[in-house]
């Protein structure tokens, strides 16, 4: 750790992992409710479990992004964070607000929560992923502003790098596009249209800037490749992200009452959306192949490579699978969507947060990398979670294809629930994959408690020589 | 990548491409809002009418009970329970059938099966929800869903 203030990243990372565990437990509850319909009914109905599952996901990814930013910005800018104290205060504000919101979901009926938090004054609740009470949403804005101020001041006084610039653009975009969550007209078409300005422009827009910059940072650190090369890749990747992804929003505007020309705009541009993900994969493998050092943290390298591959598969390939309008006509709002959502979020965002945690946490704990045993367990967790998520996605895809055929494509379409009964087998298999994922997560958490560290004397000569490389040409040639 | 392609060129593609396509997106958004009156069934939403107020109340109830946490509406939401954008049509254009279904849900669920919770809505609230779903079914969704099953 080069700067003392990077330490504030730690509570963010810990909270991210705690919420990750909660997210998976509620995912398993839902997975079981798909096949045992009355499981925990009426105490935790499906919609409540789902809110907890998706909202904890969003919050822990945001926690991860914030932790990543607090770790990465001082190092990139070569200066201490503007105010570590503000960062810690905002951590507690965010964590307590998230905890209270989840408690609200679980302890009182949602309608009662809406009443208690004065939703009628400014109704924003009850829309997918934006279920938080309006007051929580305002809290998120306050936290985001303080966060951006803190980082912004740091960037302004320090060295400006492409990595920090791209990260800042992504984070500012995240805050700006969240503001559309406050617009909720009675007109359902307008409501849905602008809802996507938050949801799509987050996950297929500005979040990918955050993803790209964190990936670039980790690759600079673990490969020691010249920063110039990595920054060029970063620019061209994020260029392709936004060139395809902004108009790609159109793939959500096919069937919600918006003009039909969106079927053309959406199909063409979102068919190109896999390109930046493919480039990301080529980039990550190229950089690792051209590495100028063998960083002792093999687990972090594995997460970085895995992130690029799985993001391409989940967001790129599984997105393309159902993005063309004539295909989407049949698949819209089925288990195909769920399959894509799971692999895309896991590959792109879960894995990048786990990559930066894997890289930064050992350093924050005073060692360059974890010991051999801890890394082996972490790599086991990588494979368990990744492979089980691939299978979970395949089972949901199978369920989705059958659902589309039985309910929408055949000459004698079945009703929704009749279809669900017929595809139950695949829901059981999905649940099984979820259980194995939880096993991987347990191994992941356990890996933090395995004692032992890799000492400098265990490193080979190449590693030693490059141990302080920060990717700049001067440092690499020194 | 080759040396002829510099970082500055990549940066310019990023800024230029982003600015161009964002502006194009804004233009398409503007055009969409000009087209919407023909498609979005807004004539029933007039807040000065009783119907308009009822639909607004229905949408609020829809949101405050997190219906989207199980159902889809125009294909968006959760995939645990049936699509409701066309439920009015599926229930033979009957508001009473919608109200009857919501009312009839057992409070303790159905053993082993998925079941909608009992929300204990008043008759007035049920009517508002039914009017909201009727309004949704009147939106021009380019012939989606493929059939009445949703």
């Amino acid at each position: 750790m080069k700067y003392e203030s990077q330490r504030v990243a730690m509570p963010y990372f810990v909270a991210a992992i705690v919420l990750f565990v909660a997210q998976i437990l509620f995912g398993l509850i839902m997975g079981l409710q798909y096949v045992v319909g009355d499981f925990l009914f009426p105490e935790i109905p499906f919609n409540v479990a789902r809110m907890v599952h998706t909202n904890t996901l969003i919050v822990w990814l945001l926690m991860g992004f914030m932790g990543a930013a607090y770790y990465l910005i001082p190092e990139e800018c070569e200066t201490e964070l503007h105010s570590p104290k503000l960062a810690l205060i905002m951590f507690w504000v965010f964590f307590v607000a998230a905890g209270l919101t989840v408690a609200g979901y679980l302890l009182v009926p949602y309608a009662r929560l809406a009443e208690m938090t004065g939703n009628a004054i400014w109704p924003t609740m009850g829309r997918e992923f934006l279920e938080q009470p309006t007051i929580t949403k305002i809290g998120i804005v306050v936290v985001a502003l303080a966060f951006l101020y803190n980082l912004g001041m740091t960037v302004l006084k320090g060295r400006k790098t492409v990595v920090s610039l791209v990260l800042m653009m992504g984070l500012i975009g995240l805050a700006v596009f969240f503001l559309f969550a406050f617009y909720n007209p009675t007109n359902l078409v307008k409501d849905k249209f602008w809802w996507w300005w938050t949801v799509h422009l987050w996950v297929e827009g500005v979040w990918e800037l955050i993803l790209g910059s964190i990936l670039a940072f980790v690759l600079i650190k673990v490969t020691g490749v010249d920063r110039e090369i990595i920054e060029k890749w970063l620019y061209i990747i994020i260029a392709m992200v936004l060139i395809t992804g902004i108009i790609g929003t159109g793939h959500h505007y096919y069937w919600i009452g918006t003009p039909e020309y969106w079927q053309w705009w959406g199909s063409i541009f979102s068919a190109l959306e896999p390109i930046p993900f493919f480039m990301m994969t080529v980039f990550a493998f190229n950089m690792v192949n051209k590495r100028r050092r063998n960083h002792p943290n093999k687990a972090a390298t594995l997460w970085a490579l895995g992130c690029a591959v799985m993001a391409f598969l989940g967001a790129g390939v599984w997105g393309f699978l159902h993005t063309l309008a004539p295909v989407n006509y049949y698949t819209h709002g089925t288990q195909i969507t769920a399959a894509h959502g799971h692999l895309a979020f896991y590959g792109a965002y879960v894995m990048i947060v786990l990559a930066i945690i894997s890289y930064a946490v050992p350093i924050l704990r005073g060692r360059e990398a974890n010991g051999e045993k801890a890394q082996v367990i972490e790599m086991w967790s990588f494979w368990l979670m990744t492979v089980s998520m691939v299978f979970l996605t395949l089972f949901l895809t199978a369920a989705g294809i059958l659902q589309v055929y039985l309910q929408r494509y055949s000459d004698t379409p079945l009703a929704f629930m009749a279809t669900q009964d017929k595809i139950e087998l695949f829901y059981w298999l999905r649940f099984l994959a979820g259980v194995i994922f939880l096993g991987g997560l347990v191994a992941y958490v356990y890996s933090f408690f395995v004692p032992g560290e890799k000492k400098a004397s265990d490193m080979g000569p190449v590693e030693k020589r490059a141990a302080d490389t920060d990717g700049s040409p001067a440092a690499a040639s020194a | 990548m080759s040396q002829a392609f510099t970082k500055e060129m990549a940066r310019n593609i990023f800024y230029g491409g982003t600015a161009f396509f964002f502006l194009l997106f804004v233009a398409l958004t503007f055009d969409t809002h000009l087209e919407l009156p023909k498609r979005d069934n807004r004539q029933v939403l007039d807040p000065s009418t009783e119907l308009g107020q009822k639909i607004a109340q229905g949408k609020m109830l829809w949101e405050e009970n997190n219906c989207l946490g199980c159902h889809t509406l125009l294909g968006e939401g959760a995939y645990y329970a049936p699509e409701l954008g066309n439920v009015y049509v599926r229930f033979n254009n009957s508001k009473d059938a919608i109200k009857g279904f919501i009312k009839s849900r057992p409070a303790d669920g159905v053993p082993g099966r998925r079941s909608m919770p009992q929300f204990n809505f008043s008759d007035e609230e049920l009517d508002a929800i039914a009017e909201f779903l009727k309004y949704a079914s009147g939106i021009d969704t380019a012939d989606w869903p493929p059939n009445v099953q949703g």
Side-chain angles (χ1 to χ4, degrees):
Chain A
M1 195 177 50
K2 288 178 177 146
Y3 298 91
E4 189 56 31
S5 53
Q6 287 176 288
R7 258 182 221 293
V8 297
M10 198 63 166
Y12 286 89
F13 290 150
V14 173
I17 294 171
V18 168
L19 291 167
F20 184 19
V21 174
Q23 185 219 341
I24 299 310
L25 293 177
F26 279 87
L28 284 172
I29 290 174
M30 295 160 72
L32 202 50
Q33 286 175 335
Y34 254 93
V35 274
V36 182
D38 63 343
F39 181 62
L40 294 182
F41 188 89
E43 288 73 27
I44 305 181
F46 180 86
N47 63 341
V48 171
R50 187 176 193 265
M51 269 192 301
V52 177
H53 181 64
T54 57
N55 285 217
T56 47
L57 167 69
I58 295 166
V59 172
W60 87 255
L61 292 178
L62 293 179
M63 284 277 185
F65 292 164
M66 289 180 175
Y70 283 130
Y71 183 86
L72 180 161
I73 290 288
E75 194 156 322
E76 282 292 298
C77 300
E78 297 183 334
T79 177
E80 293 288 351
L81 186 67
H82 176 67
S83 169
K85 203 170 162 194
L86 180 63
L88 278 179
I89 293 170
M90 283 303 136
F91 166 76
W92 284 109
V93 171
F94 195 27
F95 192 60
V96 170
L100 286 175
T101 303
V102 170
Y105 290 163
L106 289 170
L107 297 179
V108 297
Y110 190 68
R112 178 89 187 91
L113 183 66
E115 197 188 318
M116 285 160 62
T117 56
N119 188 53
I121 301 164
W122 190 333
T124 66
M125 290 174 73
R127 294 172 308 147
E128 197 181 5
F129 311 129
L130 303 181
E131 293 93 346
Q132 312 82 33
T134 304
I135 182 96
T136 305
K137 290 195 181 84
I138 294 169
I140 292 172
V141 172
V142 170
V143 170
L145 286 178
F147 167 71
L148 289 173
Y149 163 77
N150 207 351
L151 291 177
M153 295 304 283
T154 314
V155 171
L156 286 177
K157 72 175 172 172
R159 176 178 75 149
K160 277 101 189 144
T161 69
V162 175
V163 171
S164 58
L165 196 68
V166 171
L167 180 63
M168 285 306 291
M169 284 191 282
L171 293 169
I172 291 167
L174 186 154
V176 167
F177 288 112
F178 183 66
L179 297 178
F180 292 98
F182 290 92
Y183 178 61
N184 180 19
T186 300
N187 186 324
L188 194 57
V189 182
K190 281 196 196 168
D191 171 8
K192 284 172 174 290
F193 184 94
W194 290 98
W195 178 84
W196 283 114
W197 275 58
T198 296
V199 176
H200 177 93
L201 294 177
W202 264 19
V203 299
E204 287 167 65
V206 292
W207 281 30
E208 287 187 49
L209 269 56
I210 300 168
L211 159 63
S213 59
I214 299 174
L215 184 64
F217 176 79
V218 172
L219 288 173
I220 287 173
K221 297 296 163 180
V222 298
T223 67
V225 168
D226 187 346
R227 178 182 282 279
E228 282 292 305
I229 297 171
I230 287 186
E231 289 178 342
K232 196 201 300 184
W233 272 99
L234 177 59
Y235 265 135
I236 202 70
I237 287 170
I238 60 170
M240 286 312 295
V241 162
L242 294 182
I243 286 170
T244 62
I246 293 173
I247 306 287
T249 316
H251 64 202
H252 302 295
Y253 295 160
Y254 297 161
W255 327 114
I256 61 166
T258 31
E260 282 159 44
Y261 56 67
W262 283 110
Q263 293 180 25
W264 288 99
W265 288 106
S267 295
I268 291 167
F269 278 84
S270 65
L272 302 174
E273 279 187 54
I275 293 173
F277 284 107
F278 184 69
M279 292 170 70
M280 223 179 270
T281 307
V282 175
F283 163 58
F285 277 88
N286 251 327
M287 294 309 107
V288 171
N289 281 336
K290 288 184 183 161
R291 67 186 177 278
R292 300 163 84 138
R293 62 180 305 204
N294 285 313
H295 195 284
N297 194 338
K298 295 192 175 62
T301 315
L302 182 64
W303 283 112
L305 290 174
C307 170
V309 173
M310 299 312 293
F312 171 63
L313 279 181
V317 177
W318 252 259
F320 178 76
L321 215 62
H322 61 142
T323 202
L324 299 176
V327 176
N328 193 261
Y329 182 68
Y330 292 102
T331 61
H332 180 51
T334 64
Q335 296 299 325
I336 302 277
T337 319
H340 160 61
H342 279 85
L343 198 62
F345 263 91
Y346 176 73
Y349 299 120
V350 170
M351 291 181 90
I352 195 62
V353 171
L354 298 189
I356 185 74
I357 288 177
S358 181
Y359 172 75
V361 166
I363 297 172
L364 290 168
R365 294 168 88 186
R367 48 199 186 226
E368 199 190 7
N370 284 326
E372 199 67 35
K373 196 179 161 207
Q375 285 201 44
V376 168
I377 293 169
E378 191 183 340
M379 288 193 267
W380 263 98
S381 79
F382 168 93
W383 288 109
L384 277 171
M385 287 196 276
T386 304
V387 172
S388 62
M389 185 52 80
V390 167
F391 274 95
L392 190 151
T393 302
L394 290 172
F395 294 141
L396 284 180
T397 306
I401 291 169
L402 284 173
Q403 182 187 11
V404 165
Y405 181 80
L406 293 170
Q407 192 185 317
R408 290 184 177 167
Y409 202 85
S410 84
D411 293 332
T412 50
L414 295 180
F416 179 88
M417 277 314 299
T419 306
Q420 294 295 305
D421 286 341
K422 290 208 183 292
I423 58 184
E424 196 184 290
L425 170 67
F426 292 96
Y427 291 141
W428 275 115
L429 292 169
R430 180 268 297 270
F431 179 70
L432 193 69
V435 171
I436 296 170
F437 189 95
L438 179 68
L441 181 57
V442 169
Y444 178 73
V445 173
Y446 175 68
S447 74
F448 288 92
F449 297 97
V450 176
E453 57 180 282
K454 190 142 183 164
K455 293 182 188 67
S457 56
D458 297 337
M459 276 190 254
V462 180
E463 293 161 348
K464 253 186 210 161
R465 196 169 352 110
D468 290 322
T469 302
D470 80 331
S472 64
S477 59
Chain B
M1 273 183 278
S2 79
Q3 292 304 310
F5 186 76
T6 63
K7 189 169 95 181
E8 284 62 40
M9 290 159 79
R11 184 195 63 198
N12 294 344
I13 294 173
F14 167 65
Y15 285 117
T18 301
F20 178 82
F21 284 100
F22 189 74
L23 288 175
L24 177 60
F25 188 52
V26 170
L28 287 168
T29 295
F30 188 73
D31 185 74
T32 295
H33 281 70
L34 294 178
E35 295 284 316
L36 281 188
K38 285 182 247 162
R39 308 180 59 94
D40 64 10
N41 199 15
R42 69 176 62 187
Q43 63 278 7
V44 298
L45 293 179
D46 184 351
S48 65
T49 63
E50 200 191 331
L51 178 61
Q53 289 162 14
K54 209 160 223 181
I55 294 171
Q57 186 198 355
K59 183 168 187 273
M60 183 89 124
L61 286 164
W62 165 269
E63 287 164 0
E64 293 196 343
N65 289 281
N66 192 28
C67 305
L68 214 67
C70 292
H71 293 278
T72 49
L73 185 64
L74 307 187
E76 293 169 358
Y79 320 119
Y80 188 70
E83 160 69 24
L84 295 184
N86 69 341
V87 70
Y88 178 72
V89 181
R90 189 157 64 242
F91 281 20
N92 299 313
N93 299 329
S94 165
K95 280 186 353 185
D96 286 336
I98 293 174
K99 291 191 260 184
F101 185 88
I102 300 174
K103 240 191 215 172
S104 71
R105 297 293 87 199
D108 294 322
V110 182
R113 306 277 304 167
R114 301 181 202 174
S115 176
M116 191 162 119
Q118 174 52 257
F119 289 100
N120 300 313
F121 291 123
S122 68
D123 287 342
E124 185 220 348
E125 289 172 327
L126 283 170
D127 201 50
I129 293 167
E131 281 295 354
F132 168 67
L133 293 173
K134 183 182 171 188
Y135 147 70
S137 74
I139 293 169
D140 179 355
T141 54
D143 284 329
W144 191 91
N147 65 56
V148 76
Q149 300 299 351

